[in-house]
């Protein structure tokens, strides 16, 4: 049975005129979700395609729109579809392969994947460095650092949310450059750092907080990839320590060992 020909109007409803029980109604949406998932997996609905409207699906399966909404919500929680208000429901259409190497650049990595994107500064503040930050950036304890809260996007999709820390006064004004260009690299260049490298990246998986899940537009029950990284200038001096949460269903991370 395929998503284009199936119907539940006679196969699942009881012969009696009595309304279906709650258990029967629950079986409707779970079976519809399973069938749509199978159709997506087999390519009947390819990546990026808009699914039929709730009304069309309700007629196709002989159920009400509330049942269809429960089915689509289940598919969304699995990362198979995304629901866009006022537009419809679409099959999730890409998982970006980002390379973590000696020279990791957001826009460059997206360009290699044929996508366009940028970094959006959500907030900035000056703060005293914690012991962890002071050790990572090799600065005196409680030195002032610039903290940026940044969202990384590609083709309108949020890929990662990050906290980024830079030593001051060296990078005074960097936030405005990133706001104007959408690029940390451009911010460094404006402050005399023409090139820089990644000294280390540490990757773990964890469940996101409610705020991180909301920013990444994903359920809090879906794991994210946490990457802690340190960038240094060509003299080996630390210039940025960052903690980034990547949407696990939209991003594949590749570690490049042979980059020069």
């Amino acid at each position: 049975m395929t998503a284009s020909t199936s119907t539940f109007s006679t196969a699942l409803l009881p012969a009696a005129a009595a309304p279906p029980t709650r258990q029967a109604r629950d079986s409707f949406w779970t079976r519809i979700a399973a069938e749509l998932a199978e159709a997506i997996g087999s390519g009947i609905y390819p990546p990026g395609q808009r699914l039929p409207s709730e009304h069309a699906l309700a007629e196709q399966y002989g159920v009400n729109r509330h049942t269809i909404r429960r089915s689509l919500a289940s598919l969304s929680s699995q990362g198979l579809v995304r629901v866009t208000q006022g537009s419809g429901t679409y099959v999730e259409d890409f998982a970006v392969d980002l390379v973590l190497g000696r020279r990791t650049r957001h826009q460059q990595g997206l360009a290699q994947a044929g996508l366009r994107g940028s970094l959006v500064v959500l907030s900035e503040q000056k703060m005293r460095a914690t012991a962890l930050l002071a050790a990572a950036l090799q600065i005196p304890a409680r030195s002032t650092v610039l903290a940026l809260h940044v969202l990384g996007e590609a083709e309108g999709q949020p890929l990662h949310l990050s906290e980024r820390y830079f030593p001051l006064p060296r990078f005074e004004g960097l936030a405005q450059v990133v706001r104007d260009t959408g690029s940390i690299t451009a911010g460094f260049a404006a402050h005399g750092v023409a090139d820089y490298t990644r000294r280390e990246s540490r990757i773990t998986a964890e469940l996101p907080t409610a705020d991180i899940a909301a920013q990444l537009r994903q359920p809090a029950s879906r794991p994210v990839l946490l990457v802690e990284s340190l960038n240094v200038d060509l003299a080996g001096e630390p210039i940025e320590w960052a903690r980034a949460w990547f949407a696990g269903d939209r991003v594949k991370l590749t570690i490049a060992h042979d980059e020069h």
Side-chain angles (χ1 to χ4, degrees):
M1 183 182 293
T2 66
S4 59
T5 61
S6 61
T7 177
F8 284 85
S9 58
T10 59
L12 295 181
L13 291 176
T21 65
R22 179 175 179 178
Q23 182 178 3
R25 289 196 300 270
D26 286 348
S27 72
F28 292 169
W29 76 262
T30 56
R31 292 174 65 177
I32 292 170
E35 189 168 326
L36 288 173
E38 181 179 351
I40 291 171
S42 63
I44 293 175
Y45 297 123
Q49 180 170 322
R50 182 179 182 273
L51 294 183
S53 67
E54 290 181 0
H55 178 74
L57 288 172
E59 287 194 339
Q60 176 180 325
Y61 288 106
V63 297
N64 60 44
R65 294 177 67 176
H66 177 70
T67 300
I68 295 299
R69 288 193 191 102
R70 290 190 69 183
S71 301
L72 296 178
S74 175
L75 295 177
S76 177
S77 69
Q78 298 173 52
L80 295 177
V81 302
R82 67 182 186 279
V83 180
T84 304
Q85 289 293 332
S87 179
T89 302
Y90 297 83
V91 178
E92 284 286 9
D93 53 359
F94 67 89
V96 181
D97 192 350
L98 297 178
V99 177
L100 299 183
R102 291 188 65 243
R103 287 176 171 81
T104 298
R105 312 288 189 263
H106 179 73
Q107 292 184 352
Q108 180 180 336
L110 293 178
Q112 291 173 349
L115 302 170
R116 291 183 300 176
S118 64
L119 300 176
V120 179
V121 178
L122 302 179
S123 66
E124 69 170 290
Q125 66 173 319
K126 294 179 181 179
M127 56 175 282
R128 297 293 184 182
T130 62
L132 172 65
L133 285 174
L137 294 174
Q138 297 178 14
I139 56 179
R142 298 190 57 77
S143 295
T144 304
V145 297
L146 171 66
L148 298 186
H149 193 208
V150 176
L151 183 67
E153 298 182 321
E155 304 292 345
Q157 288 282 344
L159 297 184
H160 59 81
L161 185 70
S162 61
E163 298 173 351
R164 298 166 178 263
Y165 303 91
F166 310 86
L168 291 174
R170 182 176 183 182
F171 295 108
E172 190 77 46
L174 181 140
Q176 189 58 52
V177 180
V178 178
R179 281 194 172 93
D180 294 340
T181 64
S183 168
I184 295 291
T185 299
F188 282 145
H191 289 75
V193 182
D195 194 12
Y196 61 100
T197 61
R198 177 70 57 89
R199 175 174 289 178
E200 65 179 23
S201 295
R202 297 183 180 183
I203 306 173
T204 56
E206 66 176 31
L207 290 176
T209 64
D211 179 64
I212 292 173
Q215 292 284 0
L216 294 177
R217 300 207 295 266
Q218 69 164 63
S221 58
R222 187 184 305 161
V224 294
L225 296 174
L226 170 61
V227 178
E228 295 180 336
S229 60
L230 177 67
N231 287 326
V232 299
D233 61 21
L234 295 187
E237 184 174 347
I239 57 174
E240 176 191 18
W241 186 86
R243 180 188 289 122
W245 295 268
F246 288 80
D249 62 326
R250 300 184 203 120
V251 176
K252 294 186 295 183
L253 298 178
T254 299
I255 309 299
H257 295 289
D258 57 352
E259 185 181 353
H260 299 292

